[in-house]
Amino acid sequence: MSTSVVIEAPGEYRLVPHEPREPAAGEALVRVHAVGICGSDRELYQGNRPEGYVRYPLVPGHEWSGTVQSVGAGVPGSLVGRKVVGEGFRSCQVCDRCHAGETTLCGAGYEETGFTQPGAMASTLTLPARLLHPLPDDCDLTAAALLEPAACIAAAAIKANARPGERVAVVGTGTLGMFAVQFLRAGSPGELLVVGTRRDREALSREFGATGFRTRDQELPAGFDVVIETAGSASAARTAASLLRRGGRLVLTGIPAPGADGLDPTDLVVRQLEVHTVFGAPPAAWAHAVRVFAAGLLDPLPLVTHELSLEEFPQAIELVGSGDPKVGKVLLRP
């Protein structure tokens, strides 16, 4: 009997028998191959998710990969058997932001797989087929399970608009930071600096294309054209801004604790910094991430350090919050 993880309330979960839900019109049923766990899943379990961004009880799991098993009416039958990943945001498709392609800003409110809608910590997931992105037949589905965070960084890379030969930098050396290095490297930068708090991430940063590495307690250079921040702290955002030349482009992807001291508005104005932010990934960013992955320019697999079963959900949550430098991306395999 297949199972799913259900978080009943903060700190309370159980494993329940899972019955696949047959796809209705416009939907697809996907057999889940792997599902990733990130800090937001830990927030979900601990009850730290902001109000309005969670609905209990629910099946978590917003980072996943799988294979289409069946489709409902109106969905091309050619999707059956295809390897896929899928967008998480369930946008209304009719507001002005959705029509502009900014589905993460949907005016109808927030709905997302694994937070307010059933997620992928189960043997199957049924969702709107319009959210699916088909993958190459020969792709590694374990690696593809990381394409959700990669799509968020693809959104950052699009906003950064780094041009060949520019000096670029990444602040943060977690999963998002390592994806940012790979996306920026694909654009042929003149220099690619990584700034983090862990010296042990230097080798992997350089493997992914970094030309330099500094920890934040070292003297840092300046004059960069583009900086992507992925660390999720106010101090990291300030460090990122300090690296830029006048008129440089800053993209913030991390979410600090509410009320944190932020960037100095005087500095932003006087130096005319161009500041962008990212929360989730719209369709264009997903398409970009899938293309880069399919082209072999994005390698998520070295980031995976643990693969566990659904029954080991509490151990996986513990690993994600352990702070152990040996813990990278944790996947669950239904």
Side-chain angles (χ1 to χ4, degrees):
M1 170 87 59
S2 63
T3 60
S4 65
V5 173
V6 175
I7 298 177
E8 299 283 0
E12 299 177 22
Y13 89 97
R14 61 191 178 104
L15 293 170
V16 302
H18 175 72
E19 280 291 333
R21 181 174 71 78
E22 288 303 311
E27 292 185 325
L29 171 65
V30 176
R31 180 156 297 280
V32 178
H33 173 82
V35 54
I37 295 183
C38 78
S40 55
D41 293 300
R42 185 174 168 83
E43 289 177 353
L44 182 69
Y45 180 61
Q46 293 179 329
N48 299 326
R49 188 85 173 156
E51 188 178 351
Y53 290 86
V54 62
R55 190 178 301 132
Y56 300 104
L58 84 157
V59 178
H62 61 289
E63 305 177 2
W64 58 270
S65 63
T67 304
V68 177
Q69 188 168 304
S70 61
V71 297
V75 180
S78 57
L79 268 180
V80 176
R82 291 295 305 270
K83 294 178 178 179
V84 293
V85 289
E87 298 172 33
F89 282 78
R90 307 289 188 92
S91 59
C92 74
Q93 299 291 290
V94 295
C95 71
D96 67 328
R97 290 303 85 206
C98 284
H99 282 306
E102 297 176 335
T103 53
T104 61
L105 301 177
C106 176
Y110 171 80
E111 294 286 345
E112 186 175 4
T113 300
F115 295 109
T116 63
Q117 298 289 331
M121 289 191 193
S123 56
T124 69
L125 172 65
T126 303
L127 74 168
R130 62 180 170 78
L131 300 176
L132 297 179
H133 289 260
L135 301 168
D137 292 337
D138 61 352
C139 82
D140 186 324
L141 274 177
T142 300
L146 276 69
L147 283 179
E148 192 277 339
C152 295
I153 294 302
I158 291 170
K159 290 188 175 186
N161 192 27
R163 303 171 183 92
E166 286 192 316
R167 299 180 69 212
V168 301
V170 174
V171 175
T173 57
T175 299
L176 296 181
M178 294 300 95
F179 279 138
V181 173
Q182 294 184 67
F183 274 104
L184 289 173
R185 178 66 186 89
S188 302
E191 179 182 351
L192 174 45
L193 173 71
V194 174
V195 178
T197 58
R198 291 171 44 187
R199 174 59 68 180
D200 64 301
R201 298 295 272 184
E202 178 173 5
L204 189 59
S205 298
R206 291 187 181 277
E207 179 184 329
F208 285 145
T211 60
F213 186 95
R214 302 279 180 95
T215 53
R216 280 162 56 185
D217 57 356
Q218 293 179 295
E219 184 177 350
L220 299 177
F224 286 84
D225 300 288
V226 169
V227 179
I228 296 179
E229 176 276 325
T230 67
S233 70
S235 62
R238 290 191 292 271
T239 295
S242 73
L243 295 170
L244 287 164
R245 63 166 171 79
R246 295 189 69 190
R249 306 186 294 284
L250 172 63
V251 186
L252 305 175
T253 70
I255 304 177
D261 290 334
L263 301 174
D264 179 357
T266 301
D267 180 57
L268 298 182
V269 173
V270 170
R271 293 204 289 143
Q272 295 186 60
L273 299 184
E274 186 179 317
V275 182
H276 298 273
T277 59
V278 168
F279 177 65
W286 271 95
H288 184 46
V290 169
R291 279 195 302 268
V292 173
F293 175 67
L297 299 172
L298 186 69
D299 185 9
L301 213 51
L303 301 174
V304 177
T305 59
H306 294 76
E307 295 184 51
L308 306 175
S309 67
L310 284 183
E311 289 73 20
E312 295 172 290
F313 171 75
Q315 294 97 308
I317 288 290
E318 240 177 76
L319 281 169
V320 170
S322 68
D324 185 341
K326 294 180 181 176
V327 177
K329 198 64 185 178
V330 179
L331 299 182
L332 294 180
R333 299 288 295 272

